[in-house]
Amino acid sequence: VLTWRVLGDHKKPIIIYDFMGYYEPLLKIMRSMVRHGFAGPGVYDLFYVANTEKELFEMLKKSLSSK
């Protein structure tokens, strides 16, 4: 989905709900990719990370209202 976003084929917001740290390994790999130059820091602009239900629903509400 991130690749589609970069290519412009996917325009909807991407929200990762990191419930109880489930996606932390993925986020760690992404931070490592940026640190080692395999991805630019702009990769962080492609998605949002929500750690709580409240954050998740706030992000969804914000993304829906910006249309």
Side-chain angles (χ1 to χ4, degrees):
V1 175
L2 290 176
T3 301
W4 292 343
R5 182 71 178 248
V6 170
L7 296 174
D9 293 338
H10 181 72
K11 304 212 185 304
K12 296 177 183 174
I14 301 168
I15 302 172
I16 299 172
Y17 180 29
D18 191 24
F19 181 71
M20 295 178 61
Y22 183 83
Y23 286 103
E24 186 54 36
L26 172 66
L27 298 170
K28 184 177 179 181
I29 287 171
M30 294 184 83
R31 286 190 296 269
S32 178
M33 290 172 62
V34 170
R35 187 172 49 252
H36 294 290
F38 291 101
V43 73
Y44 299 124
D45 297 332
L46 300 175
F47 61 94
Y48 304 99
V49 178
N51 294 302
T52 65
E53 285 182 29
K54 182 179 179 183
E55 288 178 356
L56 174 64
F57 286 110
E58 287 173 359
M59 289 176 187
L60 286 169
K61 185 177 177 182
K62 183 178 178 182
S63 69
L64 291 173
S65 66
S66 66
K67 288 186 175 185

